[in-house]
């Protein structure tokens, strides 16, 4: 168990950790760019075939992402987009950035998050870090995502590591994504530590908090 934690930390420190981002919208795509700039290889996953085709042609559909930046990422051979989740088989870090639209009762619709979690579960393996960024209510990561992942028999905090890091994107704001402060909260101290280490590789200001619930609450308060 300690070996998996140490191995993952070393992969991150050496920028050898393979990263997968689920959801390539206004949150996921800027994240991918920051991670590539930080030295990581990133595979982007989106179920929208048209978006994936556009990205692989070097054409951005996000206002804050320039075509030239996207083409540079692709030419570096450290970014690709796809609709298949099979890339998760070899991923060391998985970031979930899918939408959580409000339902008629003004409650976040978790259907996209649940589909993403089930896809991760299908390819889950020991030594993986999973981070949820999608806006949701306090308790979701621990009460909803953790049980799904642990259906595999792998234990969070021992075999795999799970954290919540609320997305903080302000479309149209010229501030570089790397300068936006990031809050991190893990299920366990090890989860927080390894997630903090990962985000610190490409973001300037990373702030760990006591739990996933605390991190989830910061986003609700900010909204």
């Amino acid at each position: 168990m300690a070996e998996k934690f140490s191995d993952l930390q070393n992969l991150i420190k050496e920028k050898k950790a393979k990263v997968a981002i689920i959801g390539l919208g206004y949150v996921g795509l800027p994240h991918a760019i920051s991670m590539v700039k930080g030295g990581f290889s990133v595979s982007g996953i989106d179920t929208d075939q048209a978006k994936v085709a556009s990205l692989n042609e070097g054409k951005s559909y996000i206002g804050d992402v320039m075509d030239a930046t996207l083409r540079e990422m692709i030419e570096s051979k450290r970014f690709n987009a796809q609709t298949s989740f099979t890339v998760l088989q070899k991923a060391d870090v998985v970031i979930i950035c899918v939408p959580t639209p409000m339902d008629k009762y003004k409650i976040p619709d978790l259907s996209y998050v649940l589909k993403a979690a089930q896809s991760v579960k299908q390819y889950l393996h020991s030594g993986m870090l999973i981070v949820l960024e999608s806006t949701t209510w306090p308790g979701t990561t621990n009460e909803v995502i953790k049980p799904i992942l642990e259906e595999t028999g792998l234990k969070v905090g021992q075999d795999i590591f799970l954290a919540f890091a609320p997305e903080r994107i302000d479309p149209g704001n010229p501030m570089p994504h790397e300068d936006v402060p990031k809050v991190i909260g893990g299920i366990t101290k090890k989860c927080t530590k390894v997630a903090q280490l990962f985000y610190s590789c490409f973001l300037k200001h990373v702030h760990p908090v006591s739990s996933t619930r605390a991190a989830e609450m910061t986003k609700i308060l900010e909204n």
Side-chain angles (χ1 to χ4, degrees):
M1 292 179 283
E3 183 180 343
K4 289 296 181 182
F5 178 66
S6 179
D7 288 347
L8 180 56
Q9 287 189 104
N10 289 334
L11 284 172
I12 292 171
K13 289 175 183 176
E14 296 170 6
K15 308 295 179 67
K16 293 180 179 179
K18 295 180 176 66
V19 183
I21 298 179
I22 302 176
L24 295 173
Y26 73 95
V27 175
L29 189 56
H31 269 46
I33 291 172
S34 293
M35 291 170 192
V36 169
K37 287 181 178 178
F40 293 98
S41 292
V42 180
S43 295
I45 304 170
D46 201 288
T47 56
D48 189 324
Q49 181 63 58
K51 285 185 176 180
V52 168
S54 177
L55 292 177
N56 286 327
E57 291 173 3
K59 299 176 182 177
S60 173
Y61 44 80
I62 302 296
D64 294 339
V65 176
M66 305 300 293
D67 287 354
T69 302
L70 185 57
R71 286 195 294 270
E72 185 177 333
M73 285 174 50
I74 294 171
E75 290 169 4
S76 73
K77 305 293 185 182
R78 289 193 287 119
F79 174 78
N80 67 86
Q82 54 195 286
T83 56
S84 173
F85 287 85
T86 56
V87 69
L88 297 179
Q89 290 175 330
K90 297 183 179 180
D92 302 297
V93 179
V94 180
I95 312 296
I96 300 175
C97 298
V98 296
T100 48
M102 294 292 182
D103 64 17
K104 63 180 181 180
Y105 301 108
K106 304 301 181 183
I107 296 173
D109 176 0
L110 289 187
S111 58
Y112 295 104
V113 171
L114 293 174
K115 288 179 182 177
Q118 291 291 346
S119 296
V120 173
K121 185 184 79 169
Q122 185 178 353
Y123 298 103
L124 196 66
H125 54 80
S126 183
M128 182 185 278
L129 167 66
I130 304 94
V131 184
L132 177 63
E133 291 212 4
S134 306
T135 302
T136 184
W137 65 80
T140 300
T141 308
N142 187 43
E143 298 166 10
V144 179
I145 305 304
K146 179 174 175 281
I148 291 174
L149 300 181
E150 290 191 329
E151 287 175 0
T152 61
L154 297 173
K155 297 298 181 183
V156 169
Q158 298 177 11
D159 308 305
I160 56 174
F161 307 95
L162 176 62
F164 183 81
E167 57 90 357
R168 301 192 74 224
I169 300 292
D170 189 4
N173 189 326
M175 177 187 288
H177 180 248
E178 295 81 4
D179 291 344
V180 179
K182 190 74 167 178
V183 171
I184 304 282
I187 294 292
T188 68
K189 289 182 179 179
K190 283 187 175 181
C191 294
T192 301
K193 185 175 181 179
V194 73
Q196 180 183 1
L197 173 64
F198 173 68
Y199 280 93
S200 294
C201 289
F202 56 90
L203 299 179
K204 294 179 181 178
H205 311 286
V206 180
H207 302 276
V209 293
S210 61
S211 64
T212 53
R213 186 181 291 272
E216 290 159 342
M217 181 59 77
T218 65
K219 181 60 177 178
I220 299 300
L221 290 173
E222 185 174 65
N223 281 4

